[in-house]
Amino acid sequence: MSNKKAVILLSGGIDSATCAAIAKDEGYQLYGMSFSYGQRHAVELEAAKRTGKFFSIHEHRIISLDPAAFSSNALTDDIEVPKNGNDKDSIPVTYVPARNTIFLSLALGWAEVLEVNDIFIGVNAVDYSGYPDCRPEFISSFEAMANLATKAAVNGRKIHIRTPLMNLSKAQIIQTGTKLGFDYSLTHSCYDPSSDGAACGECDSCLIRKAGFKKAGVKDPTRYITLNAV
């Protein structure tokens, strides 16, 4: 077993799964962290479990957070998820307040306990929904903070926030994971799935996912509600 360890933020989607594939390929022993925060697409947690099992991660923690901390957004509140590109705001209503800041902070704590130097997160600044906590500026600022705030860093063990997908298109991300042998049928992306977990096919996340598979030249394995009705 590799002595090189990494904490992976696993959402259950394409990006975090591809990050796990890259980290595994680089020889890391993986420790996964996922979050239950009252999201309407909680089916993604089952996808995160499947992804973790696929990569035989050493440990997978699912952290429960109070949904009340994440208000006024379409993923945790009774607010309609925009469909077919109808969210006109520069920062979409599906943005969850400070989500990546909170997730990375908890991952940072676990990394320090595990004596891990690398935290992988699947943020992307190319094909994404316009969230401010997916930008390179945010990641570099968080990494700088992490290396000021932790005993590990003060004692010389620097923390690195790894974002291997930052400058890749969704198609390039899918091609990368496919080459590494990952099965994307295990993942989930939809913000507004049906009660049985089928993807709506119309939310921003579904549109980006569908376009990504098409441009990548890879068969989309997603089960969509609209396809079931045909």
Side-chain angles (χ1 to χ4, degrees):
M1 184 176 292
S2 173
N3 291 323
K4 191 167 65 169
K5 299 183 290 188
V7 171
I8 312 288
L9 289 177
L10 287 177
S11 69
I14 287 173
D15 296 342
S16 68
T18 307
C19 270
I22 291 169
K24 188 79 170 182
D25 186 61
E26 291 181 4
Y28 284 94
Q29 180 185 155
L30 308 185
Y31 290 76
M33 181 173 277
S34 305
F35 299 91
S36 174
Y37 56 97
Q39 64 267 51
R40 70 167 69 206
H41 58 310
V43 64
E44 70 176 9
L45 292 176
E46 294 305 313
K49 291 177 185 177
R50 292 193 296 268
T51 299
K53 185 176 181 180
F54 181 91
F55 290 113
S56 301
I57 62 174
H58 187 74
E59 183 177 353
H60 186 191
R61 292 190 176 186
I62 298 178
I63 309 298
S64 295
L65 302 174
D66 184 355
F70 304 97
S71 61
S72 302
N73 72 87
L75 297 192
T76 64
D77 285 358
D78 190 19
I79 297 173
E80 187 175 354
V81 174
K83 301 292 176 68
N84 294 315
N86 288 328
D87 193 339
K88 303 302 182 183
D89 294 332
S90 59
I91 298 178
V93 70
T94 51
Y95 164 72
V96 179
R99 181 173 61 178
N100 282 346
T101 305
I102 294 167
F103 290 0
L104 278 171
S105 295
L106 290 167
L108 175 62
W110 197 26
E112 190 167 25
V113 169
L114 293 170
E115 298 185 348
V116 164
N117 297 340
D118 296 288
I119 300 171
F120 282 76
I121 180 171
V123 292
N124 174 262
V126 180
D127 289 336
Y128 78 120
S129 298
Y131 302 146
D133 55 1
C134 288
R135 296 176 298 170
E137 301 93 323
F138 165 72
I139 295 298
S140 61
S141 295
F142 189 94
E143 183 177 276
M145 179 278 297
N147 284 302
L148 289 171
T150 54
K151 177 182 177 181
V154 170
N155 288 339
R157 184 169 58 79
K158 297 294 185 181
I159 301 294
H160 304 286
I161 309 300
R162 298 283 307 278
T163 58
L165 313 183
M166 181 63 78
N167 298 309
L168 300 182
S169 69
K170 190 65 71 177
Q172 289 172 322
I173 291 168
I174 291 169
Q175 288 169 340
T176 297
T178 300
K179 288 177 182 177
L180 292 174
F182 182 65
D183 177 5
Y184 283 109
S185 70
L186 302 176
T187 65
H188 176 89
S189 300
C190 182
Y191 290 152
D192 193 24
S194 66
S195 58
D196 68 349
C200 74
E202 298 176 339
C203 69
D204 189 52
S205 187
C206 278
L207 295 178
I208 292 172
R209 181 183 176 107
K210 287 197 288 188
F213 277 108
K214 184 176 181 180
K215 291 178 182 177
V218 176
K219 181 178 173 57
D220 184 353
T222 311
R223 183 169 61 94
Y224 292 106
I225 295 172
T226 51
L227 293 181
N228 292 342
V230 174

